[in-house]
Amino acid sequence: MGTIKQHIPNFVSGFDPVIQNFETLEELLSIDFVKRWSCDDDFHQFSIGPYGDRWHLMAEQNNGKRWWVIGYITGIVRDELNLPNWKPNKGDE
């Protein structure tokens, strides 16, 4: 089982991050704060990148030219999620 903790930037206050368990990629992508990103018109894909002993879940927009860390994943092997590895896209917008 994996756990995702919603990323809330340090400059934002008054909110507690959502922490939720999931078993499959489908369950992860159906979590409200994750799913909202895929509804954006500029949404490109979700990807995953390493960060110490956890993973960053990334939401990529505009063909990967803009990206955001939306959560931290623990307790699951990256390959179990079958998401692309995050790589910065340095192309012109």
Side-chain angles (χ1 to χ4, degrees), residues 2 49 55 60 70 73 77 86:
W55 300 97
E60 298 184 37
I70 63 170
I73 296 175
V77 177
W86 176 77

Side-chain angles (χ1 to χ4, degrees), residues 49-68:
Y51 184 73
D53 62 346
R54 59 187 178 178
W55 300 97
H56 279 152
L57 179 63
M58 311 294 289
E60 298 184 37
Q61 298 174 321
N62 197 20
N63 291 319
K65 295 175 185 163
R66 281 194 315 258
W67 40 267
W68 310 94

Side-chain angles (χ1 to χ4, degrees), residues 6-37:
Q6 181 182 24
H7 169 71
I8 297 178
N10 290 336
F11 58 83
V12 176
S13 62
F15 297 93
D16 291 324
V18 172
I19 301 172
Q20 193 160 341
N21 295 326
F22 63 93
E23 294 281 341
T24 65
L25 176 61
E26 292 74 24
E27 286 181 15
L28 172 63
L29 299 182
S30 70
I31 296 170
D32 285 342
F33 80 86
V34 175
K35 188 175 183 177
R36 277 193 301 259
W37 285 93

